Structures are given as C-alpha cells and as structure tokens.
Amino acid sequence: MACDRAAAIASIAPQLKAAIDDYYKNGKSMVVRKKDQIMELLRGAGLTYRAQIPPKMMGVHPMNRDGEGITETGVVRVGDGIGVLGCSKQVLEENAICVEENPSTKKIEQFTKEVTDVSDRLQTVTTGMVKYGSLGNGHSYQFLCAAIDGAAWEGDLADENGRLCKKKLADVGVDERLLKAGVEWEVIAYQVDAEFPDIATIVQSAINGKDQLMKGESWAQVCLKAARAADKQDDPRHPDWKLVPKQVLSSNPPRPNDVLSICAFVRRWGGGTPYPFCKKTG
C-alpha cells in the first residue's frame, strides 16, 4: 500500500505543489476554494477514503487551528450547546476531515496528549489508541471523548459528582452507540501529510476560517436576539431553550453554526429574564 500511495502522490505532486504555491503567493486568500481543489486532487488519486471512526481513536492534528489544537473552552462550549439542542450525527459529520497517524512519528498522539493534559474536563489519552488527527470538527469529537471518560463537568449534563452523566448524555442524543462507533470521516493518507505538510494547514484554515468568520450581525447582536427570544416566550422565567435557536436562525445569521453555542452562553450566563448581562454587552 505504501508503494501505491507513493506512486499516487508522485502522479499529482506538480498540481499539489502549484496549488500550495498559489495559496501563499496570493496572500492565503480564497482558502476554501484552494482546499476544495486540493481535496479533489487527493480523492482522484485515491489518497483519501471514508471511515467510521470511534471517538477515542481520533486525536488532534498538530496543525489544527494553526497549532492551537483544541481548548477546554471550546470543548465546554460544544458540550453546553449539545445540552441545549441535543446531538446531531449530521452536524458531527460536517467538516469531518482528518489525517492518519504516521506510525513512525506518532506526532498526533503526542500533540493530543499535550493539549488534553491541561484540564480534567478533557479526555485522558490512552497510549497507542490514537490513529487519526482531526483537521476539523475537533472540539465536537473531543467532547465525545470527554463523555466516554466521564470527565469533570458543570451544568445540565453533570451528575451529582460533577462528572459528565451518561444517562443525561443519552437523553440529548449522545448515546452508547455514538460513543462506541463514532461518525464517518474523510481520511487523508499520512504519506500525503509527510510529503506536503502545508496541505493540513490549508485544509484546517479553510474549515476553521469558515467557522470563525463573522459578517453582518455581531456576536453581541446574536446574544441579544437569543435573550429577546427567550424573554418573549409565554413563561420567560422558564423558557423552552429548544425553541430559542430556531427563532434566532429565522433571520439567517451569517454564522448559523455558532447560534447553538451562543444560546447556551445566554442561558448560562445571561442573568435570567430580562438578561441584563446580554443587554449591557450589546
């Protein structure tokens, strides 16, 4: 297989190099189009495949978020969002692109240990278990890993001991089947990563850049909309938080993927009706 992959890489190496050079030459603009171009080249050469990957086998690629990887804050934000609206397999599979672990370097496992050892809210990495590294969707999958480990937690998904509760998780769609089997990912061969490390940079930048880009309504504006949606319900002291994101989404905000986490933030930190913190921030 290694020989076949080497030949496949050689067959598209000029096009890959040209795409990477063009990306840097043009000031890293049009990164989403460049990512799509590169991924199509890799797919055409048989250098990617799709696989259902259990959460504990998925680490964090060292280039994820330009080397930041994942953070406790990001994982908690995802978890709080799932606690509000529930877990969707379709959402988990959005931007699910990863790279195989290089068996010679084990760099993904090492990096994953480094970024998760800092907090008891994150998973404990089992040596030898990590086989892939996420370029997108990393915080969501790391939340699943934290759920498997029963990591420390606060809020609606915690049990009486301050740990993620399997029963409460199952109630919002994070059931044993999902935790065991995971979801489907597109996997890039590790030989590609070794030969062209800039590809991981471009792919993660395109995925995470789309998530981070904010146009039109600001974060504060979306917070205010969520607060107003909750405050206008028939019982504002006990609003139905499953309805709030749907109402916020009705105006087609520019970053719909963020609405879930923003609503979770308002619910937890807004101060309750009439949500003075949100109004002060806005």
Side-chain angles (χ1 to χ4, degrees):
M1 180 182 292
C3 293
D4 293 341
R5 286 181 171 183
I9 293 170
S11 71
I12 60 170
Q15 296 99 307
L16 290 175
K17 186 178 185 304
I20 294 167
D21 289 346
D22 186 60
Y23 169 68
Y24 288 112
K25 180 180 178 181
N26 289 289
K28 302 181 181 180
S29 63
M30 306 301 290
V31 64
V32 174
R33 290 182 61 186
K34 197 59 58 180
K35 183 267 290 185
D36 290 345
Q37 178 187 354
I38 289 171
M39 291 302 297
E40 283 304 312
L41 285 169
L42 296 177
R43 291 173 190 133
L47 292 166
T48 76
Y49 58 92
R50 304 197 70 84
Q52 189 162 342
I53 301 175
K56 294 289 280 185
M57 294 179 68
M58 181 62 66
V60 183
H61 192 280
M63 278 314 306
N64 195 314
R65 296 184 182 272
D66 297 304
E68 180 186 30
I70 55 97
T71 65
E72 174 191 327
T73 301
V75 172
V76 170
R77 185 169 60 244
V78 167
D80 285 347
I82 287 174
V84 172
L85 274 191
C87 186
S88 163
K89 182 180 178 183
Q90 182 179 359
V91 171
L92 287 174
E93 290 181 338
E94 290 179 3
N95 299 324
I97 301 177
C98 66
V99 178
E100 292 173 332
E101 173 71 290
N102 188 324
S104 299
T105 65
K106 297 289 186 180
K107 67 177 183 179
I108 293 173
E109 180 178 284
Q110 180 180 349
F111 182 73
T112 305
K113 286 181 177 179
E114 290 174 3
V115 296
T116 57
D117 280 350
V118 299
S119 171
D120 60 357
R121 289 189 173 191
L122 302 176
Q123 71 153 320
T124 299
V125 176
T126 303
T127 301
M129 177 69 75
V130 173
K131 304 298 182 185
Y132 310 88
S134 62
L135 295 175
N137 205 24
H139 284 109
S140 297
Y141 238 51
Q142 288 303 310
F143 173 70
L144 297 185
C145 291
I148 292 169
D149 288 354
W153 206 258
E154 297 176 2
D156 295 343
L157 295 178
D159 62 17
E160 64 275 10
N161 298 314
R163 298 278 173 178
L164 281 166
C165 175
K166 292 290 178 67
K167 183 180 184 305
K168 292 181 178 180
L169 287 165
D171 289 342
V172 295
V174 185
D175 55 24
E176 287 295 333
R177 181 178 178 181
L178 176 63
L179 295 178
K180 182 178 180 180
V183 300
E184 188 174 274
W185 289 70
E186 183 167 19
V187 185
I188 300 173
Y190 76 85
Q191 292 91 339
V192 173
D193 195 36
E195 188 74 19
F196 292 99
D198 288 310
I199 288 178
T201 300
I202 293 170
V203 172
Q204 71 81 29
S205 181
I207 293 172
N208 295 319
K210 286 193 295 183
D211 289 342
Q212 294 166 11
L213 183 63
M214 175 67 81
K215 294 180 180 178
E217 294 174 345
S218 67
W219 178 88
Q221 284 176 297
V222 179
C223 277
L224 284 168
K225 288 181 65 177
R228 284 196 296 268
D231 213 27
K232 287 183 178 180
Q233 291 191 19
D234 292 338
D235 185 1
R237 293 188 178 276
H238 302 91
D240 184 347
W241 282 97
K242 292 184 178 180
L243 294 178
V244 173
K246 296 177 183 178
Q247 294 168 332
V248 174
L249 285 166
S250 65
S251 66
N252 295 315
R255 294 180 62 188
N257 289 343
D258 278 358
V259 168
L260 190 64
S261 60
I262 290 174
C263 290
F265 176 90
V266 172
R267 180 184 184 184
R268 186 169 183 180
W269 301 108
T273 183
Y275 302 94
F277 176 81
C278 297
K279 294 181 180 180
K280 184 178 179 180
T281 301

